[in-house]
Amino acid sequence: LNPDERRRVLEIIAHLNNKSKFKKIVDQAVKDPDRNIRSMVVNILVQLGDREMVVELLKLLNDPDKRVKANVIEAVASLDKINSKSLVTLLIPFLKDVNNRIRANAVMSLYSLGYLEASDEISVMMKDSSEFMRASAVYCVGKLKLSEMADFMFEHKSDSSPIVRKNLVRTFKKLDHDSYLAYFLNDSALEIRTLAKELSSQKGGV
């Protein structure tokens, strides 16, 4: 079967929610050369929620593709089939991953699992030379609604990266911090001024 046909098979089985049939092909699917198929497997495994399937999902934590690995880290926090302490132990090493999405997902998943120390990594990420790493750190603050980090985030209001500043705008909106959001109405970049104006006119967080 070509990749499109293999994806279609997975879609059909997922729709049927047939665990027995899915178990027969999951071992091959997690090793599929097409990363899109492996990413699909992550979503389907979470939907099935079977304990045996959870074990297969955790195997993908070692996937060579960064996107697949990031998807797994994001997904495992929603699982209630294995002990959260076990998940925390598995995820802690990813707090030092060099990939921004993997590290950010590790922060958010660990925090949601009760490992609050994971948020300490955000300040480390903000010192990184990569604008994507810094932008991901800002995203974490907004996603987790860490209001206590608003002042720290505002210290980075003049970050050289428009990507980071754009995420700051969105994060301050999520934190309902209008005064910090208003600062970006005068940003040097038109797209950021426009975004700040748009979000300032909206009521409530986003």
Side-chain angles (χ1 to χ4, degrees), residues 66 94 96-103 128 130 133:
K66 295 175 181 177
F94 294 103
K96 299 301 179 183
D97 200 277
V98 296
N99 179 269
N100 64 294
R101 190 182 169 204
I102 290 175
R103 192 185 298 191
D128 200 281
S130 167
M133 187 67 76

Side-chain angles (χ1 to χ4, degrees), residues 11-191:
E11 289 171 353
I12 292 173
I13 293 175
H15 179 71
L16 294 174
N17 197 26
N18 190 316
K19 294 182 181 180
S20 61
K21 288 186 177 181
F22 190 68
K23 287 177 182 179
K24 294 178 181 179
I25 66 169
V26 69
D27 189 54
Q28 294 180 338
V30 296
K31 300 173 184 176
D32 196 282
D34 189 318
R35 71 175 188 178
N36 292 318
I37 290 178
R38 298 198 306 278
S39 290
M40 279 184 65
V41 172
V42 173
N43 296 328
I44 296 173
L45 287 173
V46 171
Q47 290 173 21
L48 291 176
D50 182 85
R51 189 177 184 83
E52 292 181 35
M53 296 295 96
V54 169
V55 174
E56 295 299 327
L57 175 61
L58 294 178
K59 288 180 181 178
L60 287 170
L61 281 172
N62 297 315
D63 194 276
D65 186 85
K66 295 175 181 177
R67 188 180 70 173
V68 174
K69 188 182 295 184
N71 287 348
V72 175
I73 293 172
E74 180 180 17
V76 292
S78 66
L79 298 173
D80 59 1
K81 298 296 181 180
I82 61 177
N83 190 289
S84 62
K85 290 184 179 180
S86 298
L87 279 180
V88 167
T89 300
L90 286 170
L91 295 181
I92 283 178
F94 294 103
L95 289 174
K96 299 301 179 183
D97 200 277
V98 296
N99 179 269
N100 64 294
R101 190 182 169 204
I102 290 175
R103 192 185 298 191
N105 282 355
V107 168
M108 293 184 289
S109 289
L110 283 165
Y111 192 90
S112 69
L113 288 168
Y115 186 75
L116 305 186
E117 296 92 332
S119 62
D120 295 340
E121 189 61 29
I122 292 174
S123 59
V124 177
M125 294 168 69
M126 287 303 295
K127 297 176 183 177
D128 200 281
S129 60
S130 167
E131 64 178 335
F132 300 108
M133 187 67 76
R134 299 196 304 277
S136 290
V138 177
Y139 177 81
C140 287
V141 173
K143 187 71 173 179
L144 296 174
K145 295 195 173 182
L146 302 177
S147 299
E148 66 274 17
M149 296 196 74
D151 292 345
F152 173 70
M153 287 289 107
F154 193 62
E155 292 175 9
H156 299 271
K157 60 185 179 296
S158 300
D159 192 287
S160 60
S161 169
I163 298 174
V164 175
R165 299 202 306 279
K166 190 178 295 185
N167 274 10
L168 282 169
V169 171
R170 295 192 178 101
T171 290
F172 289 134
K173 179 61 178 179
K174 288 181 178 179
L175 298 180
D176 291 322
H177 216 307
D178 295 338
S179 60
Y180 285 170
L181 175 59
Y183 173 85
F184 295 92
L185 293 171
N186 297 309
D187 193 271
S188 59
L190 175 60
E191 62 177 336

